[in-house]
Amino acid sequence: AQRVTQPEKLLSVFKGAPVELKCNYSYSGSPELFWYVQYSRQRLQLLLRHISRESIKGFTADLNKGETSFHLKKPFAQEEDSAMYYCALRRGGYQKVTFGTGTKLQVIP
Amino acid sequence: NAGVTQTPKFQVLKTGQSMTLQCAQDMNHEYMSWYRQDPGMGLRLIHYSVGAGITDQGEVPNGYNVSRSTTEDFPLRLLSAAPSQTSVYFCASSNLDTQYFGPGTRLTVL
């Protein structure tokens, strides 16, 4: 069975400090990894996918198959980054997605 | 293009009552799903559908029914509401790349 683990429920950082939101997964095949974000009073939306290898709003995430991790990073946190972040996994070729329990990022001014 | 819409936004039920949460999408996506979001538990998949007429159970299907008579609509039915079903419910539809979420329905069961 596939599983996604986000060990931190809450992560508080000061504005301008680096951010790393941790995500580990267990799946033996070829997974597709995603980060979704939910800002206050807004719907969940895709932040980035490992396949696209892009940077969105200054965030990046690298899939490390050896460590089965897909940590989300940003060098300098902004107040508008405060939100709930979910890591998600999809089995290759399937549509069903498994989400982690989420990490609330709080950026302190 | 409205994306994914959900109604109602808020609902209060008494234990034992039934209701249907509506979900519709206008993106012609085959795959649709229902999640519930609870503090500390993230999003848990209730039911999903890979196309009209095809549905399957997710992680937490008990107490919920779904049907998919059209590509656009994927309603979620609570047959006999229980306080444990108090949650925020999200519907999503997806293409091969991305899931698109609705705004959510906040349900309280007293």
Side-chain angles (χ1 to χ4, degrees), chain B residues 18-91:
Chain B
S18 63
M19 80 159 295
T20 299
L21 307 185
Q22 301 291 344
C23 175
Q25 54 96 4
D26 60 1
M27 296 174 282
N28 202 32
H29 290 161
E30 293 294 328
Y31 185 86
M32 296 185 73
S33 50
W34 276 102
Y35 294 88
R36 57 178 291 174
Q37 183 185 44
D38 301 290
M41 310 206 55
L43 277 82
R44 292 181 293 169
L45 182 65
I46 304 171
H47 286 285
Y48 65 98
S49 169
V50 298
I54 307 170
T55 63
D56 205 348
Q57 296 180 350
E59 301 171 62
V60 288
N62 292 342
Y64 307 95
N65 275 357
V66 292
S67 60
R68 185 94 180 271
S69 56
T70 67
T71 299
E72 293 78 20
D73 300 298
F74 191 43
L76 178 72
R77 281 184 290 277
L78 282 72
L79 303 176
S80 178
S84 60
Q85 294 178 303
T86 294
S87 186
V88 180
Y89 291 85
F90 288 99
C91 177

Coordinates of all heavy atoms in Angstrom, one line a residue, chain B residues 18-91:
Chain B
S18 N -30.6 12.2 6.4 CA -29.9 11.9 5.1 C -29.7 13.2 4.3 O -30.5 14.1 4.5 CB -30.6 10.8 4.3 OG -31.8 11.3 3.9
M19 N -28.7 13.2 3.5 CA -28.6 14.4 2.6 C -27.6 14.0 1.5 O -26.9 13.0 1.5 CB -28.1 15.6 3.3 CG -26.6 15.7 3.6 SD -26.0 17.3 3.8 CE -26.3 18.1 2.2
T20 N -27.6 14.8 0.4 CA -26.7 14.6 -0.7 C -25.9 15.9 -0.9 O -26.4 17.0 -1.0 CB -27.5 14.3 -2.0 OG1 -28.3 13.1 -1.8 CG2 -26.6 14.2 -3.2
L21 N -24.6 15.7 -1.0 CA -23.6 16.8 -1.3 C -23.5 16.7 -2.8 O -23.1 15.7 -3.4 CB -22.3 16.6 -0.6 CG -22.3 16.4 0.9 CD1 -20.9 16.4 1.4 CD2 -23.1 17.5 1.6
Q22 N -23.6 17.9 -3.5 CA -23.6 17.9 -4.9 C -22.2 18.3 -5.4 O -21.5 19.2 -4.7 CB -24.6 18.9 -5.5 CG -26.0 18.6 -5.1 CD -26.5 17.3 -5.8 OE1 -25.9 16.8 -6.8 NE2 -27.7 16.8 -5.3
C23 N -21.7 17.7 -6.5 CA -20.5 18.1 -7.1 C -20.6 18.1 -8.6 O -21.2 17.1 -9.1 CB -19.4 17.2 -6.6 SG -17.8 17.5 -7.5
A24 N -20.1 19.1 -9.3 CA -20.2 19.1 -10.7 C -18.9 19.7 -11.3 O -18.3 20.6 -10.6 CB -21.4 19.9 -11.2
Q25 N -18.5 19.3 -12.4 CA -17.3 19.8 -13.1 C -17.6 20.0 -14.6 O -18.4 19.2 -15.2 CB -16.1 18.9 -12.9 CG -16.3 17.5 -13.2 CD -15.8 17.1 -14.6 OE1 -15.2 17.9 -15.3 NE2 -16.0 15.9 -15.0
D26 N -17.0 21.0 -15.2 CA -17.3 21.3 -16.6 C -16.0 21.2 -17.4 O -15.9 21.9 -18.4 CB -17.9 22.7 -16.7 CG -17.0 23.8 -16.2 OD1 -15.9 23.5 -15.7 OD2 -17.4 25.0 -16.2
M27 N -15.1 20.4 -17.0 CA -13.8 20.2 -17.7 C -13.7 18.9 -18.4 O -12.7 18.6 -18.9 CB -12.7 20.3 -16.6 CG -12.6 21.7 -16.0 SD -11.4 21.8 -14.7 CE -12.3 21.0 -13.3
N28 N -14.8 18.2 -18.4 CA -14.9 16.9 -19.1 C -13.9 15.9 -18.6 O -13.3 15.1 -19.4 CB -14.7 17.1 -20.6 CG -15.3 15.9 -21.4 OD1 -16.3 15.3 -21.1 ND2 -14.7 15.6 -22.6
H29 N -13.6 15.9 -17.3 CA -12.7 15.0 -16.7 C -13.4 13.7 -16.4 O -14.5 13.7 -15.9 CB -12.1 15.5 -15.4 CG -11.2 16.7 -15.6 ND1 -10.9 17.6 -14.5 CD2 -10.5 17.1 -16.6 CE1 -10.0 18.5 -15.0 NE2 -9.8 18.2 -16.2
E30 N -12.7 12.6 -16.7 CA -13.3 11.3 -16.4 C -13.2 10.9 -14.9 O -14.0 10.3 -14.3 CB -12.5 10.2 -17.2 CG -12.7 10.3 -18.7 CD -14.2 10.0 -19.1 OE1 -14.8 9.2 -18.4 OE2 -14.7 10.6 -20.1
Y31 N -12.1 11.3 -14.3 CA -11.8 10.9 -12.9 C -12.4 12.0 -11.9 O -12.1 13.2 -12.1 CB -10.4 10.7 -12.7 CG -10.0 10.2 -11.3 CD1 -10.0 8.8 -11.1 CD2 -9.7 11.1 -10.3 CE1 -9.7 8.3 -9.8 CE2 -9.4 10.6 -9.0 CZ -9.4 9.2 -8.8 OH -9.1 8.7 -7.5
M32 N -13.2 11.5 -11.0 CA -13.7 12.4 -9.9 C -13.6 11.7 -8.6 O -13.6 10.4 -8.5 CB -15.1 12.8 -10.2 CG -15.3 13.7 -11.4 SD -17.0 14.3 -11.6 CE -17.0 15.6 -10.4
S33 N -13.5 12.5 -7.5 CA -13.3 11.9 -6.2 C -13.8 12.7 -5.1 O -14.0 13.9 -5.3 CB -11.8 11.6 -6.0 OG -11.0 12.8 -6.2
W34 N -14.1 12.1 -4.0 CA -14.6 12.8 -2.8 C -13.6 12.5 -1.7 O -13.2 11.4 -1.4 CB -16.0 12.3 -2.4 CG -17.1 12.9 -3.1 CD1 -17.9 12.4 -4.1 CD2 -17.7 14.2 -2.7 NE1 -18.8 13.3 -4.4 CE2 -18.7 14.4 -3.6 CE3 -17.3 15.2 -1.8 CZ2 -19.5 15.6 -3.6 CZ3 -18.1 16.4 -1.8 CH2 -19.2 16.5 -2.7
Y35 N -13.3 13.6 -0.9 CA -12.4 13.5 0.2 C -13.1 14.1 1.4 O -13.9 15.1 1.3 CB -11.1 14.3 0.0 CG -10.2 13.7 -1.1 CD1 -10.3 14.1 -2.4 CD2 -9.2 12.8 -0.8 CE1 -9.5 13.7 -3.4 CE2 -8.3 12.4 -1.8 CZ -8.5 12.8 -3.1 OH -7.6 12.3 -4.0
R36 N -12.7 13.7 2.6 CA -13.0 14.5 3.8 C -11.7 15.0 4.4 O -10.7 14.3 4.4 CB -13.9 13.6 4.7 CG -13.2 12.3 5.2 CD -14.2 11.6 6.2 NE -14.3 12.4 7.5 CZ -15.1 12.1 8.5 NH1 -15.9 11.0 8.4 NH2 -15.1 12.8 9.6
Q37 N -11.8 16.1 5.0 CA -10.7 16.8 5.6 C -10.9 17.0 7.0 O -11.9 17.7 7.4 CB -10.4 18.1 4.9 CG -9.1 18.8 5.4 CD -9.0 20.2 4.8 OE1 -9.9 21.0 4.7 NE2 -7.7 20.6 4.4
D38 N -10.1 16.4 7.9 CA -10.2 16.5 9.3 C -8.9 16.9 9.9 O -7.9 16.5 9.5 CB -10.7 15.1 9.9 CG -12.0 14.6 9.3 OD1 -13.0 15.2 9.7 OD2 -12.0 13.7 8.5
P39 N -9.0 17.7 11.0 CA -7.7 18.2 11.6 C -6.8 17.0 12.0 O -7.2 16.0 12.6 CB -8.2 18.9 12.8 CG -9.6 19.3 12.5 CD -10.2 18.2 11.6
G40 N -5.6 17.1 11.6 CA -4.6 16.1 11.9 C -4.6 14.8 11.1 O -3.8 13.9 11.3
M41 N -5.6 14.8 10.2 CA -5.8 13.5 9.4 C -5.6 13.8 7.9 O -5.7 12.8 7.1 CB -7.1 12.9 9.7 CG -7.3 12.7 11.2 SD -8.4 11.4 11.8 CE -7.7 9.9 11.1
G42 N -5.5 15.0 7.6 CA -5.3 15.3 6.2 C -6.5 15.1 5.3 O -7.7 15.2 5.8
L43 N -6.4 14.7 4.1 CA -7.5 14.4 3.2 C -7.5 12.9 3.1 O -6.5 12.3 2.7 CB -7.3 15.0 1.8 CG -7.7 16.5 1.7 CD1 -6.6 17.4 2.2 CD2 -8.0 16.8 0.2
R44 N -8.7 12.4 3.3 CA -8.9 10.9 3.2 C -9.9 10.7 2.1 O -11.0 11.3 2.1 CB -9.3 10.3 4.5 CG -8.2 10.3 5.5 CD -8.7 9.7 6.8 NE -9.7 10.5 7.5 CZ -10.4 10.1 8.5 NH1 -10.3 8.8 9.0 NH2 -11.4 10.9 9.0
L45 N -9.6 9.8 1.2 CA -10.4 9.5 0.0 C -11.6 8.6 0.5 O -11.5 7.6 1.1 CB -9.6 8.7 -1.0 CG -10.3 8.3 -2.3 CD1 -10.7 9.6 -3.1 CD2 -9.4 7.5 -3.1
I46 N -12.8 9.1 0.1 CA -14.1 8.4 0.5 C -14.5 7.5 -0.7 O -14.6 6.3 -0.5 CB -15.2 9.4 0.7 CG1 -14.8 10.4 1.8 CG2 -16.5 8.7 1.2 CD1 -15.8 11.6 2.0
H47 N -14.7 8.0 -1.8 CA -15.1 7.3 -3.0 C -14.5 8.0 -4.2 O -14.2 9.2 -4.2 CB -16.6 7.2 -3.2 CG -17.3 6.3 -2.3 ND1 -17.3 4.9 -2.5 CD2 -18.1 6.5 -1.2 CE1 -18.1 4.4 -1.5 NE2 -18.6 5.3 -0.7
Y48 N -14.4 7.2 -5.3 CA -13.9 7.8 -6.5 C -14.6 7.2 -7.7 O -15.2 6.1 -7.6 CB -12.4 7.8 -6.6 CG -11.8 6.4 -6.8 CD1 -11.4 5.8 -8.0 CD2 -11.5 5.6 -5.6 CE1 -10.9 4.6 -8.1 CE2 -11.0 4.4 -5.7 CZ -10.7 3.8 -6.9 OH -10.1 2.6 -7.0
S49 N -14.4 7.8 -8.9 CA -15.0 7.3 -10.1 C -14.1 7.6 -11.3 O -13.5 8.7 -11.4 CB -16.3 8.1 -10.4 OG -16.8 7.8 -11.7
V50 N -13.9 6.6 -12.1 CA -13.0 6.7 -13.2 C -13.8 7.0 -14.5 O -13.2 7.0 -15.6 CB -12.1 5.5 -13.4 CG1 -11.2 5.3 -12.2 CG2 -12.9 4.2 -13.7
G51 N -15.1 7.2 -14.4 CA -15.9 7.5 -15.6 C -17.4 7.2 -15.2 O -17.7 6.6 -14.2
A52 N -18.2 7.7 -16.1 CA -19.7 7.5 -15.9 C -20.0 6.1 -15.7 O -19.6 5.2 -16.5 CB -20.4 8.1 -17.1
G53 N -20.8 5.8 -14.7 CA -21.2 4.4 -14.4 C -20.2 3.6 -13.6 O -20.5 2.4 -13.3
I54 N -19.0 4.1 -13.3 CA -18.0 3.4 -12.6 C -17.5 4.1 -11.4 O -17.1 5.2 -11.4 CB -16.7 3.2 -13.5 CG1 -17.1 2.6 -14.9 CG2 -15.7 2.3 -12.8 CD1 -16.0 2.6 -15.9
T55 N -17.7 3.5 -10.2 CA -17.3 4.0 -8.9 C -16.6 3.0 -8.1 O -16.8 1.8 -8.4 CB -18.5 4.6 -8.1 OG1 -19.4 3.5 -7.8 CG2 -19.3 5.6 -8.9
D56 N -15.8 3.4 -7.2 CA -15.1 2.5 -6.3 C -14.9 3.1 -5.0 O -15.0 4.4 -4.8 CB -13.8 2.0 -6.9 CG -13.3 0.7 -6.4 OD1 -13.9 0.2 -5.4 OD2 -12.4 0.1 -7.0
Q57 N -14.6 2.3 -4.0 CA -14.4 2.8 -2.6 C -12.9 3.3 -2.4 O -12.0 2.8 -3.0 CB -14.7 1.7 -1.6 CG -16.1 1.2 -1.6 CD -16.3 0.1 -0.6 OE1 -15.4 -0.4 0.0 NE2 -17.6 -0.2 -0.4
G58 N -12.8 4.3 -1.5 CA -11.5 4.8 -1.1 C -11.2 4.3 0.2 O -11.6 3.1 0.6
E59 N -10.5 5.1 1.0 CA -10.1 4.7 2.4 C -11.2 4.6 3.4 O -11.2 3.7 4.3 CB -9.1 5.7 2.9 CG -7.8 5.9 2.1 CD -7.0 7.0 2.7 OE1 -6.6 6.9 3.9 OE2 -6.9 8.1 2.0
V60 N -12.1 5.5 3.3 CA -13.2 5.7 4.4 C -14.6 5.7 3.8 O -15.3 6.7 3.9 CB -12.9 6.9 5.3 CG1 -11.7 6.7 6.1 CG2 -12.7 8.2 4.4
P61 N -15.0 4.6 3.1 CA -16.3 4.7 2.4 C -17.5 4.5 3.3 O -18.7 4.8 2.8 CB -16.2 3.5 1.4 CG -15.3 2.5 2.2 CD -14.3 3.4 3.0
N62 N -17.4 4.0 4.5 CA -18.6 3.6 5.3 C -19.4 4.8 5.6 O -19.0 5.8 6.1 CB -18.1 2.9 6.6 CG -17.5 1.5 6.3 OD1 -17.6 1.0 5.2 ND2 -16.7 1.0 7.2
G63 N -20.7 4.6 5.4 CA -21.7 5.6 5.7 C -22.0 6.6 4.5 O -22.8 7.5 4.6
Y64 N -21.3 6.3 3.4 CA -21.4 7.2 2.2 C -21.7 6.3 0.9 O -21.2 5.2 0.8 CB -20.1 7.9 1.9 CG -19.6 8.7 3.1 CD1 -18.6 8.2 3.9 CD2 -20.0 10.0 3.4 CE1 -18.1 8.9 5.0 CE2 -19.5 10.7 4.4 CZ -18.5 10.2 5.2 OH -18.0 10.9 6.3
N65 N -22.5 6.9 0.1 CA -22.8 6.3 -1.2 C -22.5 7.3 -2.3 O -22.7 8.5 -2.1 CB -24.3 5.8 -1.3 CG -24.5 4.4 -0.7 OD1 -23.5 3.8 -0.3 ND2 -25.7 4.0 -0.7
V66 N -22.1 6.8 -3.5 CA -22.0 7.6 -4.6 C -22.6 7.0 -5.9 O -22.8 5.8 -5.9 CB -20.5 7.9 -4.9 CG1 -19.9 8.8 -3.8 CG2 -19.7 6.7 -5.1
S67 N -22.8 7.8 -6.9 CA -23.2 7.3 -8.2 C -22.6 8.3 -9.2 O -22.3 9.4 -8.9 CB -24.7 7.2 -8.3 OG -25.3 8.5 -8.1
R68 N -22.5 7.8 -10.4 CA -21.9 8.7 -11.5 C -22.7 8.4 -12.8 O -22.3 7.5 -13.6 CB -20.4 8.3 -11.7 CG -19.7 9.3 -12.7 CD -19.1 10.4 -12.0 NE -18.4 11.3 -13.0 CZ -17.2 11.1 -13.4 NH1 -16.4 10.1 -12.9 NH2 -16.6 12.0 -14.2
S69 N -23.8 9.1 -12.9 CA -24.7 8.8 -14.1 C -24.2 9.7 -15.3 O -24.5 9.3 -16.4 CB -26.1 9.1 -13.8 OG -26.2 10.5 -13.3
T70 N -23.5 10.8 -15.0 CA -23.0 11.6 -16.1 C -21.5 11.9 -15.8 O -21.0 11.8 -14.7 CB -23.7 12.9 -16.2 OG1 -23.5 13.7 -15.1 CG2 -25.2 12.7 -16.4
T71 N -20.8 12.3 -16.8 CA -19.4 12.7 -16.6 C -19.3 13.9 -15.7 O -18.4 14.1 -14.9 CB -18.7 13.1 -18.0 OG1 -18.8 11.9 -18.8 CG2 -17.3 13.5 -17.8
E72 N -20.3 14.8 -15.8 CA -20.2 16.1 -15.1 C -20.5 16.0 -13.6 O -19.9 16.7 -12.8 CB -21.2 17.1 -15.7 CG -20.9 17.5 -17.1 CD -21.3 16.5 -18.1 OE1 -22.1 15.6 -17.8 OE2 -20.8 16.5 -19.2
D73 N -21.4 15.1 -13.2 CA -21.9 15.1 -11.8 C -21.4 13.9 -11.0 O -21.4 12.8 -11.5 CB -23.4 15.2 -11.8 CG -23.9 16.4 -12.5 OD1 -23.6 17.5 -12.0 OD2 -24.6 16.3 -13.5
F74 N -21.1 14.1 -9.7 CA -20.7 13.1 -8.8 C -21.2 13.3 -7.4 O -20.4 13.8 -6.6 CB -19.1 13.0 -8.9 CG -18.6 11.7 -8.2 CD1 -19.1 10.5 -8.4 CD2 -17.4 11.8 -7.4 CE1 -18.6 9.4 -7.8 CE2 -16.9 10.7 -6.8 CZ -17.5 9.5 -7.0
P75 N -22.4 13.1 -7.1 CA -23.0 13.4 -5.8 C -22.6 12.4 -4.8 O -22.4 11.2 -5.1 CB -24.5 13.3 -6.1 CG -24.7 12.4 -7.2 CD -23.4 12.6 -8.1
L76 N -22.5 12.9 -3.5 CA -22.1 12.0 -2.4 C -23.3 12.0 -1.4 O -23.8 13.1 -1.0 CB -20.9 12.6 -1.7 CG -20.5 11.9 -0.4 CD1 -19.8 10.6 -0.7 CD2 -19.5 12.8 0.4
R77 N -23.8 10.8 -1.1 CA -25.0 10.7 -0.3 C -24.6 10.2 1.1 O -23.9 9.2 1.2 CB -26.0 9.8 -0.9 CG -26.8 10.4 -2.0 CD -27.9 9.5 -2.5 NE -27.2 8.4 -3.3 CZ -26.9 8.5 -4.6 NH1 -27.1 9.7 -5.3 NH2 -26.4 7.5 -5.2
L78 N -25.1 10.8 2.1 CA -25.0 10.3 3.5 C -26.4 9.7 3.8 O -27.4 10.4 3.8 CB -24.7 11.5 4.5 CG -23.3 11.9 4.5 CD1 -22.9 12.7 3.3 CD2 -23.1 12.8 5.8
L79 N -26.4 8.5 4.1 CA -27.7 7.8 4.2 C -28.3 8.0 5.6 O -29.5 8.2 5.7 CB -27.5 6.3 4.1 CG -26.9 5.9 2.7 CD1 -26.6 4.4 2.6 CD2 -27.8 6.3 1.6
S80 N -27.5 8.0 6.6 CA -28.0 8.3 8.0 C -26.8 8.9 8.8 O -25.9 8.3 9.3 CB -28.3 6.9 8.7 OG -28.7 7.1 10.0
A81 N -26.9 10.2 8.8 CA -25.7 11.0 9.3 C -25.4 10.7 10.8 O -26.3 10.5 11.6 CB -26.0 12.5 9.2
A82 N -24.1 10.7 11.0 CA -23.6 10.5 12.4 C -22.6 11.6 12.7 O -22.0 12.2 11.9 CB -22.9 9.1 12.5
P83 N -22.5 11.9 14.0 CA -21.6 13.0 14.5 C -20.1 12.8 13.9 O -19.4 13.7 13.7 CB -21.6 12.9 16.0 CG -23.0 12.4 16.3 CD -23.3 11.4 15.2
S84 N -19.7 11.5 13.7 CA -18.4 11.2 13.2 C -18.2 11.7 11.8 O -17.1 11.7 11.3 CB -18.1 9.7 13.3 OG -19.0 9.0 12.5
Q85 N -19.3 12.0 11.1 CA -19.2 12.5 9.8 C -19.1 14.1 9.7 O -19.1 14.6 8.6 CB -20.4 12.0 8.9 CG -20.4 10.5 8.7 CD -21.6 10.0 8.0 OE1 -22.8 10.2 8.4 NE2 -21.3 9.3 6.9
T86 N -19.0 14.7 10.8 CA -18.8 16.1 10.9 C -17.4 16.3 10.3 O -16.4 15.8 10.8 CB -18.8 16.7 12.3 OG1 -20.2 16.6 12.8 CG2 -18.4 18.1 12.4
S87 N -17.3 17.1 9.2 CA -16.0 17.3 8.5 C -16.2 18.3 7.4 O -17.3 18.9 7.2 CB -15.6 16.0 7.9 OG -14.4 16.0 7.3
V88 N -15.1 18.6 6.7 CA -15.2 19.4 5.5 C -15.0 18.4 4.3 O -14.0 17.6 4.3 CB -14.1 20.5 5.5 CG1 -14.2 21.3 4.2 CG2 -14.2 21.4 6.7
Y89 N -15.9 18.5 3.4 CA -15.9 17.6 2.3 C -15.4 18.3 1.0 O -16.0 19.3 0.6 CB -17.3 17.0 2.1 CG -17.6 16.0 3.2 CD1 -18.2 16.5 4.4 CD2 -17.4 14.7 3.1 CE1 -18.5 15.7 5.4 CE2 -17.7 13.8 4.1 CZ -18.3 14.3 5.3 OH -18.6 13.5 6.3
F90 N -14.5 17.7 0.3 CA -14.0 18.2 -0.9 C -14.2 17.2 -2.1 O -14.0 16.1 -1.9 CB -12.5 18.5 -0.9 CG -12.2 19.7 0.0 CD1 -11.7 19.5 1.3 CD2 -12.3 21.0 -0.5 CE1 -11.4 20.6 2.1 CE2 -12.0 22.1 0.3 CZ -11.6 21.9 1.6
C91 N -14.7 17.8 -3.2 CA -14.8 17.0 -4.4 C -13.7 17.5 -5.3 O -13.2 18.6 -5.3 CB -16.2 17.4 -5.1 SG -16.4 16.6 -6.6

